Amino acid sequence: MELNDLYRDVILDHNRRPRNFGGLEPADASVEGFNPMCGDRLTVRLKLEDDRISDIRFEGQGCAISTASASLMTEAVKGRTRVEALQLFDRVHELLTDDAAPPADELGKLAALSGVREYPARVKCASLCWHTLASALRSTEPHSLPAVSTE
Amino acid sequence: MSNIAVADRNLTFDVNAVRRQFPVLARLIRGRPLAYLDNGASAQRPAAVIEAVDDYERHHHANIHRGVHTLSQEATALYESSRDRLVEFINARSRHEVIFVRGTTEAINLVAQSYARPILKPGDEILITHLEHHANIVPWQMVCEQTGAKLVVAPIDSSGDVHVEAVVSLMSPRTRLLACAHVSNALGTVLPIRRLIAAAKARGIVTLIDGAQAVSHLHVDVQELDCDFYAFSSHKMYGPTGVGILYGRERLLECMPPWQGGGEMILAVTFAKTTYNSLPNKFEAGTPNISGGIGLGAAVDFLLGMDRDAAHAHETALLEHATKALGKIPGLRIVGTAKEKASLVSFTVDGVHPHDLGTILDEDGVAVRTGHHCAMPVMDFFKLPATARASFAFYNTFEEIDRLAAGVERARKLFV
């Protein structure tokens, strides 16, 4: 495993120039995610229209993996329904943790995160934004769970 | 200065001979020699410690202080002789003052619950500093919650130094205890504890020193320091994990109630009344970490058997070399520049998150700590989420530090 496989150009690019970065007012859901192990912190805000994510933005501070993962996530879920977004989370989770995960064409640019699974200590960096998104989506349901942590 | 230190090292300190005594230092990580620069988190063990634990496990294991059979007597003798060596190591007055615990964290919790909690009244104060490890913050917060006492925090300056006057000015008639680090784990600052202890003592304030980061670097003499409690962990001084020491002044320990009940800490039990055992066993409920205690004794032998002044001079030279080599890197900021520092360097690099840096350095076999170092208030003070920290032991080399600096350059090129 080479570092270049972890820090692929897509990751470096999204770390340098994170997409959909910043606040979103007004938002239908806003949830802060926190990784106490490394101090990474990010807030995901989103708008829903007819159960579809019509807009999503994030802000916070984190390592390159966490920032790029959040940036890629916002691009990938915009326009998807709540259920589709959560299904995508499952696929990303497999990609990050399961060596036997089949190559996932439908993941598109998110596939750039596959190098992370060789670095178990970094899986939480890549998944923090997704846990936060899942929590944000659930918070728009009747039984809401406001805070999320990867510890 | 650095040249003199290096010359001294060549005369009296053979780093390669020392390295050969630490088996793990021969390891390759991803095909590169291990450069272990995370000694502040946990130091490696010399063969002497590994063999002492192995010998105990193979030939002498039984429960201690229990049986009349041969193994139990041998295990007891080995364990208790470790205590004797620790008495010598910190120059305690007697073995009554050396309590085996799980580590520094448990030692501080013991003092918080057994010494502080019974005497604290609402409005009483516990004084700590801004650079403490969570283990020297949270136990006091808990006891404050239980008693209505108040936690008072003495400031640090922008270099990470603690000024005696700033601490003394916060000592009040309500201050019951001063608890502070000997050496900061996040910044490397060596605190002026002699003067702090003297000032506290003059005001009748009891003192606890968190020595977790100090015992591996500095000569610690509890009688000379004149502190009331001194806490440290085995695994940061080349011994096994899961064992540590609380030194306490006998007069205070005598008055303190046991903090855990069970076997070992009792003399006689009926359902009406229990008679507690005498020191140090009063505070050692349950079967302890016997092999760990024996390994810690071997670590003390190892340290006392080496030229510690020469080892210290080598560590100082490592710190100077690292400060220089890292200081040359553009965008690198050293966090913690106190006048007196132990051999560790905390730093940030513009455009490179510490976590990414840690992964990239590991690719070169260089192990450093990244994160908040269990000292979040320190990170908040410097307005940083995290730093990278290289912490050195006497077995580290100048070449390893050069590899660290090269790895940092490599990370910069990738991200900036």
Side-chain angles (χ1 to χ4, degrees):
Chain A
M1 175 61 53
E2 283 296 314
L3 270 182
N4 293 344
D5 206 37
L6 178 63
Y7 295 111
R8 294 180 198 181
D9 289 342
V10 177
I11 305 279
L12 293 173
D13 175 49
H14 277 255
N15 175 50
R16 265 190 216 107
R17 296 186 300 116
R19 320 298 199 268
N20 302 308
F21 188 83
L24 181 65
E25 293 287 341
D28 295 313
S30 171
V31 170
E32 188 181 25
F34 181 48
N35 181 346
M37 192 185 92
C38 55
D40 283 1
R41 211 178 261 281
L42 60 84
T43 302
V44 171
R45 296 187 182 87
L46 57 85
K47 283 186 194 173
L48 287 170
E49 271 172 36
D50 300 333
D51 209 44
R52 249 173 226 288
I53 300 170
S54 61
D55 202 359
I56 175 166
R57 291 171 75 76
F58 80 102
E59 61 186 339
Q61 56 190 5
C63 62
I65 302 300
S66 131
T67 303
S69 179
S71 173
L72 289 163
M73 176 190 81
T74 56
E75 282 193 330
V77 300
K78 207 183 278 191
R80 293 197 191 230
T81 65
R82 202 196 304 244
V83 170
E84 286 168 351
L86 291 172
Q87 282 170 346
L88 191 60
F89 177 18
D90 290 340
R91 300 307 316 275
V92 171
H93 193 261
E94 270 174 31
L95 177 81
L96 293 175
T97 56
D98 186 357
D99 282 339
D105 292 340
E106 82 263 36
L107 285 174
K109 277 199 257 175
L110 290 169
L113 290 165
S114 65
V116 173
R117 69 171 169 240
E118 298 297 324
Y119 298 83
R122 307 301 301 277
V123 170
K124 282 177 181 169
C125 307
S127 59
L128 174 63
C129 59
W130 286 94
H131 287 287
T132 311
L133 170 67
S135 175
L137 289 173
R138 278 185 219 112
S139 77
T140 61
E141 293 168 359
H143 304 287
S144 62
L145 296 166
V148 66
S149 162
T150 53
E151 281 294 291
Chain B
M1 179 64 200
S2 154
N3 288 338
I4 295 166
V6 173
D8 281 346
R9 179 181 64 88
N10 289 338
L11 284 174
T12 60
F13 191 78
D14 182 349
V15 69
N16 290 319
V18 171
R19 289 179 69 82
R20 282 195 290 276
Q21 299 185 59
F22 288 80
V24 78
L25 298 181
R27 251 204 80 168
L28 298 179
I29 303 291
R30 301 172 197 270
R32 303 288 315 274
L34 166 68
Y36 188 75
L37 308 180
D38 193 19
N39 297 284
S42 196
Q44 297 296 344
R45 294 93 171 90
V49 168
I50 297 165
E51 284 157 14
V53 171
D54 184 77
D55 179 63
Y56 163 76
E57 299 286 13
R58 284 176 194 278
H59 305 296
H60 307 290
H61 169 68
N63 211 334
I64 56 169
H65 303 147
R66 301 276 196 288
V68 295
H69 59 77
T70 302
L71 285 187
S72 176
Q73 291 179 56
E74 287 175 358
T76 304
L78 284 167
Y79 189 71
E80 289 301 330
S81 89
S82 273
R83 195 191 309 269
D84 290 334
R85 276 169 286 172
L86 283 147
V87 169
E88 182 191 349
F89 183 63
I90 57 170
N91 193 30
R93 285 167 211 83
S94 85
R95 48 206 326 283
H96 291 174
E97 299 188 322
V98 173
I99 317 285
F100 278 112
V101 289
R102 277 192 300 148
T104 308
T105 299
E106 187 176 66
I108 297 173
N109 277 280
L110 191 164
V111 175
Q113 290 302 314
S114 176
Y115 172 74
R117 189 174 180 181
I119 63 157
L120 287 178
K121 305 213 162 31
D124 282 348
E125 293 168 6
I126 292 170
L127 181 56
I128 64 171
T129 81
H130 201 117
L131 55 61
E132 302 306 321
H133 186 283
H134 295 166
N136 201 26
I137 301 174
V138 182
W140 306 118
Q141 286 176 327
M142 290 165 66
V143 79
C144 283
E145 213 156 88
Q146 290 156 345
T147 61
K150 211 170 81 185
L151 192 64
V152 177
V153 183
I156 53 177
D157 70 14
S158 58
S159 63
D161 253 322
V162 172
H163 297 277
V164 175
E165 316 76 63
V167 183
V168 169
S169 72
L170 291 169
M171 292 179 180
S172 83
R174 300 303 303 267
T175 309
R176 294 285 167 262
L177 200 133
L178 168 70
C180 71
H182 194 167
V183 171
S184 155
N185 73 307
L187 304 170
T189 310
V190 179
L191 280 78
I193 59 164
R194 279 175 190 75
R195 290 161 62 206
L196 291 174
I197 292 165
K201 197 167 187 201
R203 291 161 179 78
I205 298 167
V206 166
T207 50
L208 175 141
I209 306 299
D210 167 1
Q213 294 292 329
V215 282
S216 60
H217 299 296
L218 307 172
H219 179 65
V220 172
D221 178 333
V222 291
Q223 292 192 56
E224 187 245 309
L225 288 174
D226 207 20
C227 55
D228 296 302
F229 298 103
Y230 195 98
F232 59 100
S233 298
S234 157
H235 72 103
K236 296 198 200 285
M237 53 176 279
Y238 313 101
T241 51
V243 63
I245 296 294
L246 171 67
Y247 157 80
R249 202 185 285 279
E250 186 165 358
R251 178 171 54 78
L252 293 175
L253 292 175
E254 280 293 352
C255 302
M256 289 158 56
W259 87 304
Q260 288 177 342
E264 192 67 66
M265 50 74 72
I266 46 85
L267 282 181
V269 176
T270 66
F271 287 114
K273 183 171 169 49
T274 291
T275 309
Y276 300 135
N277 205 338
S278 55
L279 289 171
N281 310 79
K282 180 170 91 171
F283 293 106
E284 296 180 351
T287 297
N289 179 352
I290 305 171
S291 67
I294 290 166
L296 173 56
V300 169
D301 283 346
F302 178 84
L303 286 170
L304 294 181
M306 73 191 300
D307 182 343
R308 289 197 81 194
D309 290 339
H312 183 72
H314 177 63
E315 289 182 353
T316 305
L318 291 171
L319 174 64
E320 285 173 13
H321 185 72
T323 306
K324 246 181 240 166
L326 294 173
K328 280 184 204 150
I329 299 172
L332 187 144
R333 172 188 174 200
I334 292 177
V335 182
T337 50
K339 281 184 208 80
E340 199 186 340
K341 272 181 71 173
S343 56
L344 73 85
V345 183
S346 236
F347 61 96
T348 60
V349 184
D350 287 347
V352 186
H353 191 280
H355 234 131
D356 296 310
L357 182 60
T359 294
I360 290 163
L361 290 171
D362 185 60
E363 204 67 22
D364 287 336
V366 179
V368 298
R369 172 84 187 266
T370 58
H372 53 60
H373 315 294
C374 296
M376 283 175 156
V378 175
M379 298 293 116
D380 290 343
F381 177 80
F382 288 100
K383 299 193 165 47
L384 298 166
T387 70
R389 181 190 70 184
S391 51
F392 312 116
F394 45 63
Y395 47 59
N396 289 127
T397 66
F398 295 86
E399 187 257 335
E400 288 175 323
I401 290 169
D402 294 339
R403 284 173 54 202
L404 165 68
V408 173
E409 285 284 17
R410 192 172 160 205
R412 275 190 72 239
K413 288 205 181 88
L414 187 62
F415 286 103
V416 181

